[in-house]
Amino acid sequence: MDFNPTYIPYSSKRYPVYAQHGMVCASSPQAAAAGLEILQKGGNAMDAAVATAAALTVVEPTANGLGSDAFALVWSEKDQKLFGLNASGFSPKNISIEKVKEKTGAEKMPVYGWVPTMVPGAVSGWAKMSEKFGNLPMTQSLAPAIRYARDGYPCSPNLEKMWQRAFNAYTRSCNGEEYAEWFKTFAADGVPKAGDIIRLPNHAKTLELIAQTNSEAFYRGELADRIVADSDEFGGFYTKEDFAEYNAQWVEPISVNYRGYDICEIPPNGQGIVALMALNILKEFDFKEKECVDTYHKQWEAMKIAFADGKHHVTDPRFMAFSYHDLIRPEYGAYRAAQITEEAASPCPETPPSSGTVYFCTADGEGNMVSFIQSNYMGFGSGIVVRDTGIALQNRGADFSLDENAANALTGGKKSYHTIIPGFIMKDGKGLAPFGVMGGYMQPQGHVQVAMNLIDFGMNPQQALDAPRWQWLNDKNFEVENTFSNEIAKQLMYKGHRVQVALDSTSFGRGQVIVKLPNGTLVGGTEGRTDSNIACW
């Protein structure tokens, strides 16, 4: 049979999946299977999250890797508490605006190379998760990922597409000696096609070392030494102290109560607060119908206002001029909601009064649930792979500003504005639903749409993900999927919105949802826009 696995002429129909003992929803079938394998070997949802995260660095390197950052929201049934994990890294302490301008001759942070890389946090996050909650050692949780990297796995259709896109970009922009290892690691034989077997032997060796040392080798051992050595040789800014001082942090989640449900996010430096700001505005309105102009108009206006405030204020909280809690106070949401009129506007940021990413979720039969997101930011990231390790470094520092007066101005040892965000829904103080939608600045927009689909419009988890999506681009410009109602799009244009239809759904994010029913049954939905799968038992 000769077929194109990426050609999809007909809409696919999926039903939500039900399970009793455990569930893993991920953007890769192999990664979901890795998490399920660990659940069936006695691991809990947290062990499954570590296994899935590690496997995704192997089976979806086009979006994350060993040089990634990560965030997680963890519901512990034993503690009856939601925990937040910030595993995002900071900039090298030796970097500065002046040094970057001198090195690059530009007024904006570069996208590729050593300059936008930051100390990766994901590997530390795995260790923190395992140490605090895990039933199994990391040597067991990382075993499926090591096996995939060493023995190989088949390339999937969406993976082929994203790999080709990255290869084209790096071929155009990454021509220096410092990028040679990326081409050696990920394109030695060209771009893999769907069905080709992919092996990453250096990645396997690095994962083994991480597992054997509970991640210590990555920050205070052999792997840290290798990263710093390459940085020194190719003009980076790292020192050994940058890695030795790094540890992922447990943080207190932030939330907004939306119609009796607590929508929870990680606090800044992540942009989850943007989703909460939008919901804090939208709760001031009643929505009776999803497919109507008024619903979309108010969603779009609220989203623009939230981004105006978020992109202006959000950064490492140590550098914010006021408490981020002020941005999600009910009275500030009501104040901003009152500014929405019947016409599209171009909102400006205000200061409240004082007073390329992978997402997955896991759940076990004991009631534990994890919402986890991990990313190299733009596809494979910076284009930098540390020699003989398989460590592809993220380029999160590209979001820093070289304007010293900006909230997100570059300085040494600082965390940047972070786009990746896990979401979680609670009801009456109990964990209910881990959820997320990956994809740059689409993520808070996806969170708002999925949460409202579940809460306002009574959709099941699968339909909440399948519903046509929209995204704000800039000013009054919005993009909608080609399944979005043409008639509603026209009416939104009459209100002053500039609407364009996208023929490719890649930029609209990739989500996962698990909802726990009152009897403990798990109901999952997975993303139809990519290679997603649900593994359960």
Side-chain angles (χ1 to χ4, degrees), residues 94-238:
N94 193 35
I95 203 170
S96 69
I97 290 175
E98 294 74 20
K99 289 179 180 178
V100 170
K101 287 183 176 179
E102 181 181 348
K103 182 178 180 64
T104 65
E107 294 296 317
K108 185 178 180 180
M109 284 289 286
V111 169
Y112 301 120
W114 281 94
V115 172
T117 67
M118 298 171 70
V119 176
V123 171
S124 176
W126 304 347
K128 292 289 185 183
M129 180 90 73
S130 182
E131 290 166 6
K132 189 173 183 68
F133 294 112
N135 290 342
L136 304 177
M138 283 184 69
T139 49
Q140 196 162 351
S141 296
L142 267 58
I146 294 168
R147 188 173 65 244
Y148 287 139
R150 183 187 60 238
D151 300 340
Y153 63 93
C155 182
S156 55
N158 191 67
L159 185 63
E160 175 193 338
K161 181 170 76 170
M162 301 311 292
W163 209 304
Q164 183 68 58
R165 181 176 296 184
F167 177 80
N168 293 343
Y170 291 156
T171 299
R172 289 192 304 267
S173 305
C174 302
N175 301 311
E177 187 181 353
E178 65 268 34
Y179 302 108
E181 189 72 10
W182 185 90
F183 289 95
K184 176 182 175 183
T185 302
F186 296 113
D189 298 315
V191 175
K193 304 300 180 185
D196 288 351
I197 302 301
I198 299 168
R199 295 181 177 85
L200 300 171
N202 286 337
H203 204 118
K205 291 186 292 184
T206 295
L207 281 168
E208 287 176 335
L209 193 52
I210 290 169
Q212 291 162 3
T213 64
N214 289 321
S215 299
E216 282 297 298
F218 197 95
Y219 297 96
R220 288 161 282 276
E222 176 185 337
L223 297 173
D225 291 343
R226 284 173 175 251
I227 297 171
V228 173
D230 273 17
S231 173
D232 288 344
E233 182 168 341
F234 295 114
F237 293 95
Y238 289 122

Side-chain angles (χ1 to χ4, degrees), residues 417-430:
Y417 179 108
H418 230 291
T419 58
I420 63 173
I421 53 174
F424 202 97
I425 301 175
M426 296 178 63
K427 176 71 170 173
D428 301 325
K430 302 286 187 180

